[in-house]
Amino acid sequence: MANAELCFLSATALAEAIRTRQVSPVEVVDAHLSRIQALNGDLRSYLCVDGDRARDAAGAAEIEIGAGGYRGPLHGVPVAHKDVFDVQGLPTTAGSR
């Protein structure tokens, strides 16, 4: 599956592709990070992107899923959090300067 396609799959389709190992969580994260890098300068959709932590989590999910430790429908599916939620190590600005 092409990287661009991964960015347009529904969460359900993405979860199924990861569960059945048609794609790896690392491929999915890399596809999304590439798209964010390409467009975020113009769109400014993301205040902070923690690509290293996302890749680490995707790698861990890939290992767990490969070893039969599938946790459920969202295991390996990347998520983004708005800056109104407190996430350890990331800025929580609630949209204020």
Side-chain angles (χ1 to χ4, degrees):
M1 191 173 303
N3 279 352
E5 286 181 67
L6 295 174
C7 296
F8 293 97
L9 290 177
S10 68
T12 304
L14 194 54
E16 182 63 13
I18 290 170
R19 185 187 70 78
T20 59
R21 299 174 74 185
Q22 295 172 5
V23 297
S24 78
V26 175
E27 288 176 275
V28 173
V29 164
D30 283 340
H32 282 83
L33 288 173
S34 292
R35 186 160 172 82
I36 291 167
Q37 184 177 21
L39 299 174
N40 200 47
D42 293 330
L43 299 178
R44 296 185 178 145
S45 298
Y46 295 91
L47 173 70
C48 176
V49 177
D50 192 350
D52 292 337
R53 192 178 341 189
R55 283 189 185 96
D56 289 347
E62 185 171 357
I63 291 168
E64 290 174 356
I65 292 167
Y70 183 70
R71 295 188 202 178
L74 294 179
H75 193 184
V77 176
V79 298
H81 299 279
K82 292 192 63 68
D83 65 339
V84 297
F85 296 104
D86 190 27
V87 176
Q88 185 176 353
L90 299 179
T92 304
T93 66
S96 68
R97 293 177 195 248

